[in-house]
Amino acid sequence: MEQQSSGTAGSTPADDSTHPKPYAGYVGLDVHKDSIAVAIAYAGREIPESWGTIPNTKKAITKLVDRLYSEQETFLLCYEAGPCGYTLYQNLTAMGIDCQVVAPPRNEKIKTDRRDALRLARLLRAGELVEVWVPDQEQEAVRDLCRCRADFKAQQQKLRQQLNAFVLRHGHHWPTNRKRWTQKHLEWLESLDFPYEYQAEVRDEYIAAVRLSSSRMTDLDQKLDQVLQGWSWAPLANSLMALRGFDQLSAITLLSELGDVSRFGSPNQLMGYLGLVPCVYSSGSHRRTGGVTQAGNRHARQVLVESAWCYRFPARQTAYMNRKAEGASAYAQATAWKAQKRLCGRYRKLIAAGKNQKVVCVAIARELTGFVWDIICHEKNRIGRVTQEA
């Protein structure tokens, strides 16, 4: 689960102005796999109370809700985003309970479950927590599929590195000017001789693992094709594919990770959420800027940085780019060409100024985020108008 920078506007602060109704109390839940620590801060200035720990089961949560609402009062519950996901949020909202998932705070020197629950209740009452955007079930399912593919891709790369290291240790290496992991490359690996039979068996095991990982990747890519055909956000993904550096996988991954970017009031807020803005330290007359914050969603940030590398070449319209942009709207295609001309020129200008290539690509990714925000917001508005007219 990704922590969101407190300086961004990708989520709604839990201040009093955002509460649709007055609450009798604010409940902090410190959620773990097997247990939940509960604390409550009643409206006013009273010290928060600890209600102890309950099991993390549906029966115990229902019992807690019945206890809270026994006097017909209304409460606002919250817990920190973490490895337990959004199941508790979905269960509480299905019961009609107001609940928020909030960004975890910085590390503290003293940390216990009881202290965490009391702190959450106190900060929720004060309106100092940052609420995390919660995806719907369809969105989360697509995101899980994209993350599964990314995990298997990392495993495939690791297996290939291990196989390369094994054959290199025994004096074999594939020519650097020839492409790896083709059929000829695999046939060459299978033809290698080793002094002992079990070393050949080790090679065969590595090759079998690499082939299996490639088969998994093919299956997952086919599932992503099926997802795009029936996904409600398929028009947005097709529009993003008009951008240089975006293909079907990167478009689906970005949309499944970010969700509805129209919740960001400006491109700068989205850039801050993705951690693509520089760190700033300012005190008195001293001001120092550093590298990017790297806050927010690292999966989405990785997609944008990888796409930014494509802008190191001159701007051009190729047959491949035109083919993958066939499903995009005219506005998306025009914006993509505008982005390509600007970002390719921007890349050359920064490189000519002596900037590091990696730093330049991160800067390009930051500007690319603005074009992504513009395309998605425009397409959502257009689809909304078409739906209303129909």
Side-chain angles (χ1 to χ4, degrees), residues 83-355:
C84 293
Y86 306 118
T87 303
L88 177 59
Y89 172 88
Q90 293 164 351
N91 290 338
L92 288 172
T93 53
M95 298 166 64
I97 307 301
D98 293 337
C99 180
Q100 293 180 356
V101 183
V102 299
R106 302 291 183 182
N107 293 332
E108 297 183 355
K109 298 297 183 181
I110 302 177
K111 184 182 185 306
T112 65
D113 294 348
R114 181 176 179 274
R115 288 172 64 96
D116 286 348
L118 289 168
R119 175 184 50 78
L120 281 173
R122 183 177 66 255
L123 293 178
L124 181 63
R125 180 177 63 183
E128 296 182 2
L129 293 177
V130 179
E131 185 179 358
V132 172
W133 173 78
V134 179
D136 58 30
Q137 293 184 342
E138 181 192 32
Q139 190 88 6
E140 190 172 14
V142 176
R143 189 182 68 178
D144 288 340
L145 180 59
C146 292
R147 290 187 178 182
C148 175
R149 187 195 182 281
D151 290 340
F152 281 126
K153 185 63 178 179
Q155 293 177 14
Q156 182 190 52
Q157 293 173 342
K158 183 65 175 179
L159 287 169
R160 289 176 172 180
Q161 292 171 354
Q162 291 171 338
L163 178 54
N164 282 333
F166 170 73
V167 299
L168 182 61
R169 285 199 306 269
H170 296 281
H172 305 289
H173 63 88
W174 184 252
T176 55
N177 61 343
R178 300 183 64 182
K179 190 174 181 180
R180 296 175 181 269
W181 311 115
T182 61
Q183 187 61 34
K184 288 186 177 180
H185 181 216
L186 292 174
E187 291 174 356
W188 172 79
L189 290 170
E190 292 171 341
S191 67
L192 296 178
D193 295 326
F194 295 92
Y196 294 94
E197 181 180 354
Y198 41 83
Q199 288 178 319
E201 293 176 355
V202 170
R203 175 207 58 197
D204 293 340
E205 290 293 339
Y206 274 127
I207 293 176
V210 169
R211 289 185 182 276
L212 178 60
S213 66
S214 300
S215 176
R216 283 177 172 174
M217 296 302 301
T218 301
D219 292 341
L220 288 170
D221 287 337
Q222 292 176 353
K223 290 177 182 178
L224 284 172
D225 290 335
Q226 298 173 3
V227 165
L228 188 59
Q229 294 175 6
W231 194 22
S232 59
W233 286 27
L236 299 180
N238 290 331
S239 294
L240 285 181
M241 288 170 62
L243 288 166
R244 184 173 188 170
F246 273 79
D247 57 7
Q248 176 178 291
L249 174 63
S250 55
I252 295 177
T253 301
L254 191 65
L255 285 172
S256 64
E257 294 291 343
L258 293 181
D260 184 7
V261 300
S262 62
R263 70 184 190 273
F264 299 95
S266 68
N268 290 336
Q269 293 177 359
L270 178 56
M271 295 172 192
Y273 170 76
L274 291 171
L276 291 172
V277 296
C279 299
V280 178
Y281 175 83
S282 178
S283 178
S285 60
H286 299 281
R287 178 181 173 85
R288 184 176 70 249
T289 59
V292 294
T293 62
Q294 297 188 29
N297 193 301
R298 65 180 178 86
H299 300 280
R301 182 171 61 251
Q302 181 180 1
V303 168
L304 288 163
V305 173
E306 289 179 352
S307 299
W309 281 95
C310 297
Y311 292 90
R312 66 188 188 275
F313 304 109
R316 61 183 183 271
Q317 291 281 14
T318 64
Y320 168 73
M321 293 180 187
N322 293 331
R323 187 167 59 252
K324 71 185 183 72
E326 289 177 352
S329 66
Y331 180 86
Q333 294 181 24
T335 303
W337 178 237
K338 178 182 176 182
Q340 188 176 169
K341 290 188 293 183
R342 172 173 172 78
L343 297 181
C344 291
R346 180 73 171 159
Y347 179 90
R348 293 195 300 272
K349 182 178 179 180
L350 292 174
I351 290 294
K355 300 292 185 181

